[in-house]
Amino acid sequence: VPPPAACDDWKPTLYDVSSSDDHERLRALVESGEVQFRHDTIGDQLEELVAAREPARKLSRDETAARVRAHLGHRTLDTHGTWVYYPWSRRLVHVLPVDELREVRTDRNRYKITAEEQARLATFRIGVIGLSVGNMAAVTCALEGIGTRFRIADFDKLSLSNLNRLRGGLHELGVDKTTIAAREMFEIDPYLEIERFAEGVTRDNVDRFLLGDGAEGGRLDLVVEECDDLYLKVMVRERARALRIPVVMDTSDRGLLDVERFDREPARPVLHGLMGAVRAESLLGLSTRDKVPYVLAILGENALSTRMAASLPEVNESISSWPQLASSVALGGALAADIARRILLGQHSESGRYYVDTEAIVRDGTGALREGSPPSPSTDPSPEALRPPDLPPMPRPHEAHPEAIRWMVAHAVLAPSAHNAQPWRFRFANGTLACIHDPTHDLPTLDFEHGATWVAFGAMLVNLEMAAAAIGLVAEVDPFPGGAEERLVARVRFRRGLVVRDPLLEWVPRRVTNRRHDRTAEITGLDAAVQAKLHAATGPRARLKVLATRGALDELGALMGACDRITAFNEAIHRETMPGYRWTREEVEAHRDGIDVLTLELSPADRAGVRLLSHWPTIHALCRLGGGRVLEDGAAEAIAAARAAGLVTVPGTTRENYLEGGRAVQRVWLTAAANGVAIQPMTSLPYLMARLERGGGEGLSLAERQALGQLRPRYRGLFDTPATDGEVLLFRLHVGDPPTVRSLRRRVDDLITFD
Ligand SMILES: Cc1cc2nc3c(=O)[nH]c(=O)nc-3n(C[C@H](O)[C@H](O)[C@H](O)COP(=O)(O)O)c2cc1C
């Protein structure tokens, strides 16, 4: 039987296949017969690399192969990357070049660790002293990509009684602990730089451990100190403090973590001052039993776990050292790596002591959901949202009595409003109906100068007029009459007239916002006759511009997506809009306004995504981390499924103009509905452009203004609306299935008062 394979080997040999020298050396290695196993998955690794670079697409086999070929360029699989020989296991392994290997290996860290943070982490040099907990800390750092240069120190060799907590195999008994750790780390990343201090850290080599051999940049950025030699603990800290290197330590009892920021506090007493004025030298050569009082001073006699406290007097009596468990050591490695990452990235700055005491955190009586989860609120649609709205019976004609007013208002409030805010209430007195602005659900940032509010009122007045005519009344509308009533948008008087049934009236209860986009319309354009009807419906005081070429629509979808992303990241808009989303049937029925999430026609996955992003901290983090492309997809997909896009404009930007524009919108929308064409307004782009152009971008950050400013010429390239005109409603036109649910309205009796 041959002796154990190269017991001291701890470092792999790297062969760069693009170098002919290395090629020769590799051939010699193979011919020597030393290699026992050859692992070549370079093709798979490259496939993962190209897939990781395009996560938004599911690449087909052919596309993947094409991208791999393009990536290799003039190289072949055989001449790409590095062959790594691990002499202790006699394995020869083919891996990607260093940057690519690290890119793929840490790909799943993204968002928890950004690519930029990962690159920064790779520049650090970490020292680990004591390789029980330290082994876990070092290996976890290597796994997570925290540091790429390590100095690891332990004088000890693996013994059988270490195997209750230290990862290693029985075949490694007697092997240096530094060797075991280095091998494991190199097997994760052969490009690491590891220096081994197999004699441990001593007074003589401590500076070399902390500073390197004098070469530029050899200083450690952080020390994980996990030895049980008290002298060493103090001595290493004294030197680290002099050199301003932070030290972290986990003690495998109650998840105790100590952080000493000597980099920031060069006068801080070592070990938080718990050892008093003791100097390292006085701790030299203590027996395990003699260490106990000091250990107690450091850990705090009342802060030990009960079992740890009970064990200490037993040291050298019934046990040979204090107990340590694998679970505590694994936790300690995780805690040390976690705090190392945050210190190095500047996300944690204080010194201090922390307990991640699993027995206190996870114990009877502390668990969430102990009684099981209550049934989740129903996300089924409200039955009311599945049928046309209820309307009161038609009243007798020619008289503006309360039943007639109720009937007319019931039609009026079926008008659309941004975010289904239903920004109105009514008062009927002395034969006059006052239509009053209810600001409860105003959207001050999105709704520039209340344009959208006046559009909703305009649409509502069209319904009111048609309903009045149907019962032989003429509604005489006096817009913004002023007077004592604050927020009075229109005063409506009724006089007797002919019974006139506008054919659009029957579409008032049937008109809906249709946000479905389940078919990709290759077809663009609208039937010419329908388009002519829409233009006619716009009336003389507004204009309709229609975009119906694929190129223009794609551009519009991209612009809307970019604008949606800006809007989603704006905290004021978030705060204004989110309370208006209704997530459950109970919420829908209780409020009867706002956006029933079911009307967004989202897939379950998209709905879950929207739910997550309804929490400001989540979306804020996404913004800071540079993500959020997903926020652009909805608009692009909706426009991709549209036949055309329309923009209604008015010749002026006063509130009267927007009110007039709202009338045009409602007539266009009802006409579209009557002709089987669905409409979804998509308005944030024109409204934010109005804020930018006419409002100086007030309420938007500089970055948001700049981002919108960049979209502006492209937007103006699509719709060249004169600066003097108001853009009333931008919408997409599509043909397809009706929406699955419709938005409810507040009850008429809750909206009208009769004096
Ligand atoms: C001025 C205005 C702006 C609107 N903007 C949008 C929009 O940007 N996106 C959207 O999906 N719906 C938009 N809508 C549609 C409303 O959300 C919708 O009308 C409301 O929820 C009521 O639903 P209904 O139209 O089905 O009755 C807008 C409506 C109006 C009147």
Side-chain angles (χ1 to χ4, degrees), residues 344-406:
L344 293 170
L345 289 177
Q347 296 168 350
H348 182 96
S349 42
E350 291 182 357
S351 299
R353 168 163 284 189
Y354 308 87
Y355 291 93
V356 184
D357 182 356
T358 52
E359 287 182 21
I361 298 167
V362 185
R363 66 180 160 81
D364 284 343
T366 64
L369 299 178
R370 274 184 296 146
E371 310 302 327
S373 167
S376 30
S378 167
T379 51
D380 292 343
S382 162
E384 261 191 90
L386 296 172
R387 54 171 201 254
D390 300 326
L391 286 166
M394 196 166 182
R396 61 180 188 276
H398 303 305
E399 256 181 80
H401 51 79
E403 286 322 301
I405 296 297
R406 278 198 189 85

Side-chain angles (χ1 to χ4, degrees), residues 89-154:
S89 58
R90 297 190 167 182
R91 293 191 177 108
L92 184 62
V93 186
H94 192 180
V95 298
L96 293 172
V98 56
D99 291 346
E100 294 176 7
L101 178 116
R102 287 182 180 160
E103 180 183 340
V104 181
R105 217 185 53 71
T106 60
D107 184 61
R108 299 297 193 277
N109 290 353
R110 287 308 154 259
Y111 281 100
K112 287 224 165 179
I113 301 174
T114 67
E116 183 267 331
E117 288 167 342
Q118 196 81 64
R120 241 179 337 128
L121 287 171
T123 63
F124 294 116
R125 193 186 300 270
I126 296 173
V128 184
I129 303 173
L131 292 172
S132 296
V133 171
N135 171 296
M136 284 290 184
V139 170
T140 308
C141 284
L143 272 172
E144 204 162 299
I146 306 165
T148 52
R149 300 176 201 145
F150 295 89
R151 291 199 192 107
I152 55 176
D154 199 315

Side-chain angles (χ1 to χ4, degrees), residues 47-123:
E47 286 182 9
E48 260 199 288
L49 175 76
V50 297
R53 287 182 177 178
E54 281 183 77
R57 296 200 46 200
K58 179 115 194 70
L59 298 176
S60 69
R61 291 193 68 80
D62 287 350
E63 286 172 322
T64 306
R67 280 172 179 65
V68 168
R69 273 196 306 280
H71 181 77
L72 286 172
H74 62 278
R75 287 159 299 169
T76 63
L77 288 182
D78 287 341
T79 57
H80 189 67
T82 305
W83 282 96
V84 183
Y85 182 57
Y86 294 100
W88 55 90
S89 58
R90 297 190 167 182
R91 293 191 177 108
L92 184 62
V93 186
H94 192 180
V95 298
L96 293 172
V98 56
D99 291 346
E100 294 176 7
L101 178 116
R102 287 182 180 160
E103 180 183 340
V104 181
R105 217 185 53 71
T106 60
D107 184 61
R108 299 297 193 277
N109 290 353
R110 287 308 154 259
Y111 281 100
K112 287 224 165 179
I113 301 174
T114 67
E116 183 267 331
E117 288 167 342
Q118 196 81 64
R120 241 179 337 128
L121 287 171
T123 63

